[in-house]
Amino acid sequence: MKVTKHKKARKYMSFYINNFGFREPLLVLVDGTFCHAAYKARIQIEDQLKKYFQRELKPIVTACIITETENIGGPLVAVCQLLKKFLLHKCGHEKQPIAGSACIKAMTKTCNYIVATQDRNLQEWIQSRAGIPLFYLHNNVVSTLVQPSEASVRAAADKTQAKVQVRAVDEKTLNSLKRKEGLLVETEPKPKRAKKKKHPNPLSCKKSKKVKKGELVPSGKQEGVQDHPIEKKKRKRVKLPKHVIEHLKAGE
C-alpha cells in the first residue's frame, strides 16, 4: 500500500510540475486545522511531508494563520507554538490580519503552493480552482494528496492546445519572413511517375506443353494455329546391294 501511495503522490505532483510551473523546493502552506490534527495524531509534520512527497520541500505559514490560532487560544496554544516553528511567509496582511482561509485563498492566486488543511469549506474551494494541490490527513492518521481536480485537468488541456496553436502560427510567420528575405527556397513538387504495367512473374507461369506429332492443336491456345493434323516427315529408305540381300537370306 505504501508503494502505491508514493507512486500516486509522484504522479499527481508531476502533473502539477509539468502543467502549472511547480518547482522544488515545494512550498506547503499549513493552516491551523491541519496542524491541530497532526498534533492530536502525534505526527511530525515536516518529516511526514518529506516521506510522503519524496521531494525537497518547505512547510510554511503566514502571520494571519498564527494570529487566528492565537486568538482562539485554549487547547490551541500548543498548536500555535508548532506553527511558529515553520518558515514565516509574507502574505501582505501583516498590518491588518485576516482569517486564515481568506489569507490562503489570496496567497494561492499569486503563487504555487500545496495547501495542507482539514477545513472542509476551504477544501471544496480548492477543488473548484485549477492548479492548487490539496493535502490533508485522512481520519487524522493517513496523509493524502488529492487527485487533480476536473478544473485542473481542463486547464492543463487548454494550455496544451494553446501551445500547439501558437507553434503553428509561429511557423507560418517565420516562413513568411523567410520568403520576404529570400531565405526560403520553395522547391516544386516532383511530377509523379506513370505506373508501369506489371507483367506476370515468369517463374510462377506454367510451362507450355509440347505438341506431339500427329496430335490436334486446340484452337485459341496458340495464335495462328488451326485444328488439322501435323504432317509426318517421310523416312528415307536405304537400298541394299543384291549380294548383301542374298547373304542375309542364306543365313536365315
Short mmCIF file of all heavy atoms in Angstrom, two decimals, residues 4 18 28 31 39 45-46 57-58 86 98 110 112 139 141 148-149 166 188-189 202 210 240 242:
data_model
loop_
_atom_site.label_atom_id
_atom_site.label_comp_id
_atom_site.label_asym_id
_atom_site.label_seq_id
_atom_site.Cartn_x
_atom_site.Cartn_y
_atom_site.Cartn_z
N THR A 4 2.20 2.03 -3.45
CA THR A 4 1.15 2.59 -4.30
C THR A 4 0.88 4.04 -3.93
O THR A 4 0.68 4.89 -4.81
CB THR A 4 -0.14 1.76 -4.14
OG1 THR A 4 0.15 0.39 -4.43
CG2 THR A 4 -1.21 2.25 -5.09
N ASN A 18 4.52 19.72 -14.42
CA ASN A 18 4.56 19.83 -15.87
C ASN A 18 3.57 20.85 -16.43
O ASN A 18 3.83 21.44 -17.49
CB ASN A 18 4.27 18.47 -16.51
CG ASN A 18 5.36 17.45 -16.19
OD1 ASN A 18 6.52 17.81 -16.00
ND2 ASN A 18 4.99 16.19 -16.11
N VAL A 28 4.71 24.12 1.07
CA VAL A 28 3.48 23.55 1.62
C VAL A 28 2.93 24.54 2.64
O VAL A 28 3.54 24.78 3.69
CB VAL A 28 3.73 22.18 2.28
CG1 VAL A 28 2.42 21.58 2.75
CG2 VAL A 28 4.43 21.25 1.30
N ASP A 31 -2.15 25.22 7.56
CA ASP A 31 -3.05 26.06 8.37
C ASP A 31 -3.24 25.46 9.76
O ASP A 31 -2.72 24.38 10.08
CB ASP A 31 -4.38 26.27 7.66
CG ASP A 31 -5.27 25.05 7.67
OD1 ASP A 31 -4.76 23.95 7.98
OD2 ASP A 31 -6.47 25.18 7.37
N TYR A 39 -1.10 17.34 15.49
CA TYR A 39 -0.73 17.37 16.93
C TYR A 39 -1.48 16.29 17.70
O TYR A 39 -0.91 15.59 18.54
CB TYR A 39 -1.02 18.76 17.50
CG TYR A 39 -0.79 18.87 18.99
CD1 TYR A 39 0.50 18.93 19.51
CD2 TYR A 39 -1.88 18.93 19.88
CE1 TYR A 39 0.71 19.04 20.88
CE2 TYR A 39 -1.67 19.03 21.24
CZ TYR A 39 -0.38 19.08 21.75
OH TYR A 39 -0.17 19.19 23.11
N ILE A 45 5.05 16.91 11.34
CA ILE A 45 4.56 17.38 10.04
C ILE A 45 5.66 17.40 8.99
O ILE A 45 5.49 16.86 7.89
CB ILE A 45 3.92 18.78 10.19
CG1 ILE A 45 2.66 18.68 11.04
CG2 ILE A 45 3.58 19.36 8.81
CD1 ILE A 45 2.00 20.01 11.33
N GLU A 46 6.78 17.99 9.28
CA GLU A 46 7.84 18.13 8.27
C GLU A 46 8.37 16.78 7.83
O GLU A 46 8.57 16.53 6.64
CB GLU A 46 8.97 19.01 8.82
CG GLU A 46 10.00 19.38 7.77
CD GLU A 46 10.95 20.46 8.24
OE1 GLU A 46 10.80 20.95 9.37
OE2 GLU A 46 11.84 20.83 7.46
N LEU A 57 11.16 20.05 -0.02
CA LEU A 57 10.02 20.94 0.24
C LEU A 57 10.25 21.74 1.52
O LEU A 57 11.13 21.43 2.32
CB LEU A 57 8.71 20.14 0.32
CG LEU A 57 8.62 18.98 1.33
CD1 LEU A 57 8.32 19.44 2.73
CD2 LEU A 57 7.56 17.98 0.87
N LYS A 58 9.39 22.74 1.70
CA LYS A 58 9.45 23.60 2.89
C LYS A 58 8.02 23.85 3.38
O LYS A 58 7.20 24.40 2.64
CB LYS A 58 10.11 24.94 2.56
CG LYS A 58 11.59 24.85 2.26
CD LYS A 58 12.14 26.23 1.94
CE LYS A 58 13.62 26.18 1.59
NZ LYS A 58 14.16 27.52 1.25
N PHE A 86 7.57 26.84 11.89
CA PHE A 86 7.69 26.80 10.43
C PHE A 86 8.15 28.14 9.89
O PHE A 86 8.12 29.17 10.59
CB PHE A 86 6.34 26.41 9.80
CG PHE A 86 5.84 25.06 10.20
CD1 PHE A 86 4.51 24.87 10.51
CD2 PHE A 86 6.70 23.98 10.27
CE1 PHE A 86 4.04 23.62 10.87
CE2 PHE A 86 6.26 22.73 10.64
CZ PHE A 86 4.92 22.54 10.94
N ILE A 98 -6.16 38.90 8.45
CA ILE A 98 -7.49 38.40 8.07
C ILE A 98 -7.59 36.94 8.47
O ILE A 98 -6.64 36.35 9.03
CB ILE A 98 -7.73 38.58 6.55
CG1 ILE A 98 -6.67 37.82 5.74
CG2 ILE A 98 -7.72 40.06 6.18
CD1 ILE A 98 -6.88 37.88 4.24
N THR A 110 -1.58 34.09 -6.44
CA THR A 110 -0.37 34.75 -6.95
C THR A 110 0.84 33.82 -7.05
O THR A 110 1.81 34.15 -7.73
CB THR A 110 0.00 35.94 -6.06
OG1 THR A 110 0.18 35.46 -4.70
CG2 THR A 110 -1.10 36.99 -6.06
N ASN A 112 2.45 29.42 -6.48
CA ASN A 112 2.15 27.99 -6.43
C ASN A 112 2.43 27.44 -5.03
O ASN A 112 3.58 27.44 -4.57
CB ASN A 112 2.99 27.23 -7.45
CG ASN A 112 2.60 27.57 -8.88
OD1 ASN A 112 1.44 27.84 -9.16
ND2 ASN A 112 3.55 27.55 -9.78
N ASN A 139 -8.74 10.57 8.31
CA ASN A 139 -9.01 10.04 9.65
C ASN A 139 -7.94 10.45 10.65
O ASN A 139 -7.65 9.72 11.62
CB ASN A 139 -9.13 8.50 9.62
CG ASN A 139 -10.34 8.04 8.85
OD1 ASN A 139 -11.36 8.72 8.81
ND2 ASN A 139 -10.23 6.88 8.20
N VAL A 141 -4.90 10.33 10.49
CA VAL A 141 -3.75 9.41 10.59
C VAL A 141 -2.99 9.36 9.27
O VAL A 141 -1.77 9.61 9.22
CB VAL A 141 -4.21 7.99 10.99
CG1 VAL A 141 -3.01 7.04 11.03
CG2 VAL A 141 -4.92 8.01 12.33
N PRO A 148 -5.70 15.41 -8.89
CA PRO A 148 -6.01 16.70 -9.53
C PRO A 148 -7.49 16.80 -9.90
O PRO A 148 -8.08 15.86 -10.43
CB PRO A 148 -5.13 16.69 -10.78
CG PRO A 148 -3.97 15.83 -10.42
CD PRO A 148 -4.52 14.78 -9.51
N SER A 149 -8.08 17.95 -9.59
CA SER A 149 -9.50 18.16 -9.82
C SER A 149 -9.80 18.29 -11.31
O SER A 149 -8.90 18.42 -12.15
CB SER A 149 -9.95 19.43 -9.10
OG SER A 149 -9.28 20.56 -9.63
N VAL A 166 -0.14 28.09 -30.99
CA VAL A 166 0.90 29.12 -31.06
C VAL A 166 2.07 28.66 -31.91
O VAL A 166 2.63 29.41 -32.72
CB VAL A 166 1.37 29.50 -29.64
CG1 VAL A 166 2.63 30.35 -29.70
CG2 VAL A 166 0.27 30.26 -28.91
N GLU A 188 9.66 22.97 -56.34
CA GLU A 188 8.46 22.48 -56.98
C GLU A 188 8.30 20.99 -56.71
O GLU A 188 9.27 20.24 -56.68
CB GLU A 188 8.54 22.71 -58.49
CG GLU A 188 8.55 24.18 -58.88
CD GLU A 188 8.58 24.35 -60.38
OE1 GLU A 188 8.63 23.31 -61.08
OE2 GLU A 188 8.57 25.50 -60.85
N PRO A 189 7.09 20.58 -56.52
CA PRO A 189 6.89 19.15 -56.26
C PRO A 189 7.26 18.31 -57.47
O PRO A 189 7.00 18.68 -58.62
CB PRO A 189 5.38 19.05 -55.96
CG PRO A 189 4.78 20.28 -56.58
CD PRO A 189 5.84 21.33 -56.51
N PRO A 202 7.47 -14.71 -64.50
CA PRO A 202 7.72 -15.89 -65.36
C PRO A 202 7.95 -17.17 -64.56
O PRO A 202 7.70 -18.26 -65.07
CB PRO A 202 8.99 -15.49 -66.14
CG PRO A 202 9.62 -14.40 -65.34
CD PRO A 202 8.51 -13.68 -64.66
N LYS A 210 4.55 -29.27 -74.97
CA LYS A 210 4.98 -29.55 -76.34
C LYS A 210 3.93 -30.40 -77.05
O LYS A 210 3.41 -31.35 -76.48
CB LYS A 210 6.31 -30.28 -76.34
CG LYS A 210 7.46 -29.43 -75.84
CD LYS A 210 8.77 -30.20 -75.90
CE LYS A 210 9.92 -29.33 -75.41
NZ LYS A 210 11.20 -30.07 -75.45
N LEU A 240 19.78 -51.70 -100.30
CA LEU A 240 20.92 -52.59 -100.06
C LEU A 240 21.37 -53.26 -101.37
O LEU A 240 20.54 -53.56 -102.24
CB LEU A 240 20.54 -53.66 -99.04
CG LEU A 240 20.15 -53.12 -97.64
CD1 LEU A 240 19.69 -54.28 -96.77
CD2 LEU A 240 21.33 -52.41 -96.99
N LYS A 242 22.49 -56.24 -103.96
CA LYS A 242 21.91 -57.56 -104.16
C LYS A 242 22.68 -58.63 -103.40
O LYS A 242 22.10 -59.56 -102.84
CB LYS A 242 21.87 -57.92 -105.65
CG LYS A 242 20.83 -57.12 -106.41
CD LYS A 242 20.81 -57.57 -107.87
CE LYS A 242 19.74 -56.78 -108.64
NZ LYS A 242 19.69 -57.23 -110.08
#
